[in-house]
């Protein structure tokens, strides 16, 4: 992760999106099991940190400023991704469904990114139109992202909270 601070919260989140897209692309091309494992771990780390800063900082700032349905969908998408991330982190590339889990996670993230980045009605567009202080959000998000990255290792974060999946528990 770059230590350079982004000036804008949306620019920071979009940079995360591009980074993860590149990691998924590298994974698709990888043949070696150890390379796949390394890329999978990096994908999971990046997505876990990204989801955490969105859920703890960006989405709460958006409440009341963007369509509520869009925020609810974003939370459900995050929760679904967290389930796959937990399974990927506990698996190995030789596992029967490992590649399939990465592929499904990639497709879920592509959909999520598309929803956030739509030009007119997307979450980011709505947040910008609402006049949120993107610079102040970027400072908070960058600081939290650096803190999370410094303490992250596979299994370091607690079992993810999945508030939209009430009544279910991850193993």
């Amino acid at each position: 992760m770059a230590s350079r601070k982004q000036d804008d919260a949306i620019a920071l989140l979009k940079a995360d999106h591009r980074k993860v897209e590149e990691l998924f692309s590298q994974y698709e091309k990888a043949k070696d099991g150890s390379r796949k494992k390394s890329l999978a771990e990096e994908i999971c780390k990046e997505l876990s940190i990204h989801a955490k800063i969105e859920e703890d900082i960006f989405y709460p700032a958006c409440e009341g400023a963007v369509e509520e349905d869009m925020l609810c969908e974003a939370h459900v998408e995050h929760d679904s991704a967290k389930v796959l991330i937990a399974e990927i982190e506990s698996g190995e590339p030789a596992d029967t469904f490992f590649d399939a889990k990465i592929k499904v996670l990639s497709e879920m993230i592509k959909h999520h990114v598309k929803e956030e980045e739509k030009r007119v009605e997307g979450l980011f567009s709505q947040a910008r139109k609402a006049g949120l202080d993107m610079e102040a959000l970027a400072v908070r998000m960058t600081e939290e992202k650096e803190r999370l990255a410094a303490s992250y290792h596979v299994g370091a974060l607690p079992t993810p909270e999945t508030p939209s999946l009430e009544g279910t528990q991850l193993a």
Side-chain angles (χ1 to χ4, degrees):
M1 173 182 32
S3 60
R4 181 177 82 76
K5 294 193 186 306
Q6 295 282 342
D7 293 335
D8 179 280
I10 292 172
L12 178 116
L13 296 172
K14 284 183 174 183
D16 285 354
H17 292 168
R18 302 297 84 79
K19 181 174 186 175
V20 171
E21 287 168 356
E22 175 58 28
L23 290 170
F24 278 122
S25 176
Q26 289 177 34
Y27 185 91
E28 287 176 20
K29 296 172 189 164
K31 303 290 183 217
D32 178 67
S34 64
R35 177 73 177 137
K36 284 184 169 189
K37 181 67 173 175
S38 174
L39 286 165
E41 288 174 355
E42 192 171 354
I43 288 166
C44 291
K45 173 186 175 180
E46 292 297 325
L47 288 175
S48 296
I49 292 170
H50 178 84
K52 187 86 172 124
I53 65 171
E54 276 190 329
E55 292 169 6
D56 292 353
I57 300 169
F58 190 73
Y59 292 168
C62 290
E63 288 177 9
V66 304
E67 293 174 20
E68 183 180 348
D69 287 351
M70 190 165 282
L71 279 178
C72 289
E73 287 175 24
H75 281 288
V76 171
E77 290 167 351
H78 276 206
D79 288 350
S80 298
K82 288 176 199 174
V83 171
L84 275 176
I85 288 168
E87 291 185 16
I88 291 165
E89 285 185 332
S90 67
E92 294 294 328
D95 295 349
T96 303
F97 296 109
F98 194 85
D99 286 339
K101 289 174 183 178
I102 295 286
K103 180 67 173 174
V104 170
L105 181 60
S106 173
E107 291 170 357
M108 289 170 57
I109 298 304
K110 284 178 189 171
H111 169 80
H112 180 73
V113 166
K114 182 179 175 186
E115 292 295 309
E116 286 186 335
E117 293 187 9
K118 281 184 185 174
R119 285 193 182 265
V120 177
E121 69 272 3
L123 183 67
F124 293 169
S125 179
Q126 289 183 33
R128 195 172 298 286
K129 286 179 191 170
L132 298 179
D133 186 345
M134 295 299 169
E135 290 178 14
L137 284 170
V139 169
R140 290 179 52 213
M141 290 165 55
T142 299
E143 289 171 357
E144 181 64 2
K145 191 173 174 183
E146 289 172 353
R147 187 189 70 73
L148 290 168
S151 64
Y152 186 91
H153 63 277
V154 174
L157 298 180
T159 300
E161 292 182 25
T162 52
S164 72
L165 301 174
E166 292 179 23
T168 61
Q169 291 187 355
L170 296 177

